[in-house]
């Protein structure tokens, strides 16, 4: 059992006072809570520096929190929005090979089913899923392939730890709402996947693309209505997945489907999809797409409001294409009445992970 610190004791005092007030959930960070959490690495938002020393120290603090029943119950049962904190506490148990404690924390998440809004769009089921989703991100096999500038704390991560995380994921999957489980399935490949699992993933993805590019979209009963923004996010996530797999052909298949309905595509317009795609896939894949599927980019330049998106796409292509190929793109832009005079953003900052809805 890790030695308790003064910060831990102060946090326990805060929890005692909070519970005495009779409130079941902490849905917002109060000034008192923020003051307590500032004593920990990363402060109230849980974000710390990327150096090895800071990572190790935060893991140590997270393990202390995870090892205390009162603190664990508070974060896993009373603070729905603290999914990053829960992720860190679960991860600390895995790194310390305390599998029994990690399973105890999973039991706390499962117990949240008793709350009446568990299956709601913003209910505990969704927050449970986010806790596990971001835990998976920490153990991503493919973190070296990231080009978006996202910091992944992979210090001393082993395959044995990944297997443990996979076991934790399997434990909680039966207890997640259907919508949350579907969202989680989009990142499970990060822990490794079989050919059969990839084939099943592609079948579901192309079903999503079919629905997304069908207009008018089929009418559904209120109880079975599709969250179109969730579908947008699923397709966005697929670009990285397919890029890692080296499947430029499948990325092209999706983009060409979008191009066929580019004039009526919604809620995310075709120029936005081009920017998301070019900002997400690897340089090699983007280069291959430009060489073998130029019609993807021609369709982009045929859109009514493409001009403001050109700098981002141009910068991405400039990072991967030969000078002659980049000149070809410049000429394509000019031929369609566009311009490359605007200063392009840094590739990692071109778009946030939040889907842009137009």
């Amino acid at each position: 059992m890790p030695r308790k610190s003064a910060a831990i004791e102060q946090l326990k005092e805060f929890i005692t006072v909070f519970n005495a007030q009779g409130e079941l959930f902490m849905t917002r960070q109060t000034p008192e809570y923020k003051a307590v959490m500032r004593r920990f690495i990363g402060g109230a938002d849980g974000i710390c520096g990327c150096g090895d020393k800071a990572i190790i120290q935060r893991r140590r603090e997270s393990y202390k929190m995870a090892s205390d029943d009162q603190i664990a119950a508070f974060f896993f049962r009373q603070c729905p929005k603290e999914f990053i904190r829960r992720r860190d506490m679960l991860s600390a148990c895995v790194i310390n090979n305390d599998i029994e404690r990690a399973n105890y924390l999973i039991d706390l998440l499962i117990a949240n089913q008793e709350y009446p809004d568990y299956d709601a769009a913003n209910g505990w089921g969704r927050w449970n899923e986010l806790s596990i989703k971001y835990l998976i991100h920490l153990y991503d096999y493919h973190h070296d392939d990231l080009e978006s500038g996202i910091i992944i704390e992979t210090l001393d991560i082993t395959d044995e730890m990944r297997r443990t995380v996979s076991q934790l994921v399997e434990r909680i999957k039966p207890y997640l709402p259907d919508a949350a489980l579907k969202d989680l399935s989009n990142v499970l490949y990060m822990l490794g996947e079989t050919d059969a699992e990839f084939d099943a993933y592609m079948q579901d993805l192309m079903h999503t693309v079919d629905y997304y590019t069908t207009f008018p979209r089929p009418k559904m009963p209120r109880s079975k209505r599709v969250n179109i923004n969730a579908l947008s996010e699923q397709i966005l996530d697929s670009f990285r997945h397919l890029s890692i797999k080296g499947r430029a052909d499948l990325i092209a298949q999706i983009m060409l489907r979008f191009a066929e309905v580019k004039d009526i595509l919604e809620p995310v317009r075709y120029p936005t999809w081009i920017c998301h795609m070019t900002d997400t896939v690897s340089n090699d894949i983007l280069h291959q797409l430009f060489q073998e599927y130029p019609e993807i980019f021609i369709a982009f330049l045929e859109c009514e409001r493409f001009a403001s998106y050109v700098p981002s796409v141009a910068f991405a292509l400039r990072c991967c294409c030969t000078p002659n190929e980049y000149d070809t793109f410049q000429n394509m832009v000019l031929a369609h009445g566009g311009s490359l005079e605007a200063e392009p953003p840094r590739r990692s900052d071109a778009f946030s992970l939040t889907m842009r809805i137009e």
Side-chain angles (χ1 to χ4, degrees), residues 73 336 338 343:
H336 286 82
E343 181 66 23

Side-chain angles (χ1 to χ4, degrees), residues 59 87-97 102 131-143 152-166 168-169 187-192 240:
R59 286 174 175 174
R87 174 205 70 177
D88 290 344
M89 292 166 70
L90 280 163
S91 181
C93 292
V94 172
I95 288 169
N96 282 277
N97 198 32
S131 306
I132 301 302
K133 179 178 181 178
Y134 285 95
L135 175 68
I136 292 172
H137 274 281
L138 289 185
Y139 293 83
D140 186 356
Y141 267 110
H142 312 285
H143 63 86
I152 303 294
E153 300 172 7
T154 53
L155 179 66
D156 298 329
I157 297 298
T158 67
D159 285 349
E160 181 62 33
M161 293 176 185
R162 290 188 176 98
R163 284 190 287 271
T164 298
V165 171
S166 294
L168 296 175
V169 172
V187 299
L188 291 178
Y189 74 92
M190 294 181 179
L191 299 174
R240 180 178 182 272

Side-chain angles (χ1 to χ4, degrees), residues 33-51:
Y33 174 77
K34 291 180 179 180
V36 171
M37 298 311 295
R38 274 195 291 268
R39 301 196 60 181
F40 295 92
I41 295 292
D45 59 8
I47 305 299
C48 75
C50 58

Side-chain angles (χ1 to χ4, degrees), residues 274-311:
I274 283 283
C275 287
H276 279 307
M277 185 273 290
T278 58
D279 192 54
T280 302
V281 303
S282 70
N283 284 338
D284 288 343
I285 292 293
L286 182 56
H287 191 200
Q288 184 179 350
L289 288 168
F290 186 73
Q291 288 181 320
E292 299 180 11
Y293 305 95
E295 57 268 40
I296 292 174
F297 300 90
I298 293 172
F300 160 60
L301 298 173
E302 291 175 346
C303 293
E304 288 187 3
R305 296 189 297 274
F306 74 89
S308 61
Y309 300 86
V310 167

Side-chain angles (χ1 to χ4, degrees), residues 144-148 239-248 251 276-290 316-317 319-321 347:
D144 289 337
D145 297 319
L146 282 174
E147 296 187 4
S148 61
F239 290 148
R240 180 178 182 272
H241 189 173
L242 298 178
S243 178
I244 289 169
K245 286 286 189 179
R247 298 302 301 269
I251 297 172
H276 279 307
M277 185 273 290
T278 58
D279 192 54
T280 302
V281 303
S282 70
N283 284 338
D284 288 343
I285 292 293
L286 182 56
H287 191 200
Q288 184 179 350
L289 288 168
F290 186 73
L317 291 173
C319 290
C320 68
C321 290
R347 186 170 179 184

Side-chain angles (χ1 to χ4, degrees), residues 342-354:
E343 181 66 23
R346 290 181 300 166
R347 186 170 179 184
S348 62
D349 292 342
F351 285 87
S352 69
L353 293 180
T354 302

